[in-house]
Amino acid sequence: MYEHFFQCPYCWEEISMLMDPSVREQTYVEDCEVCCNPMEISPRFESNTLVSFSANSIEQ
């Protein structure tokens, strides 16, 4: 598992997320562990290295 730290797009708190580097590219929705708002998470791995990451707010 790969741990990545980033800021929530809603509350701007730093949070961490564990991701599986064996899945090269994915997009999914996960709630912020601080403010509970949903974020669209999009990590991309190459050779078990995180090469891009985005956490975007989902307009509701």
Side-chain angles (χ1 to χ4, degrees), residues 8-58:
C8 170
Y10 294 98
C11 67
W12 302 108
E13 290 291 325
E14 183 177 62
I15 57 176
S16 70
M17 186 167 289
L18 291 175
M19 297 174 283
D20 182 359
S22 69
V23 180
R24 292 190 54 172
E25 192 169 341
Q26 58 185 317
T27 299
Y28 57 93
V29 174
E30 190 157 325
D31 292 342
C32 172
E33 61 190 43
V34 177
C35 69
C36 299
N37 283 302
M39 303 173 282
E40 183 179 76
I41 306 296
S42 298
R44 189 167 66 89
F45 288 89
E46 288 181 11
S47 302
N48 291 332
T49 301
L50 184 65
V51 293
S52 74
F53 179 88
S54 66
N56 298 308
S57 63
I58 297 174

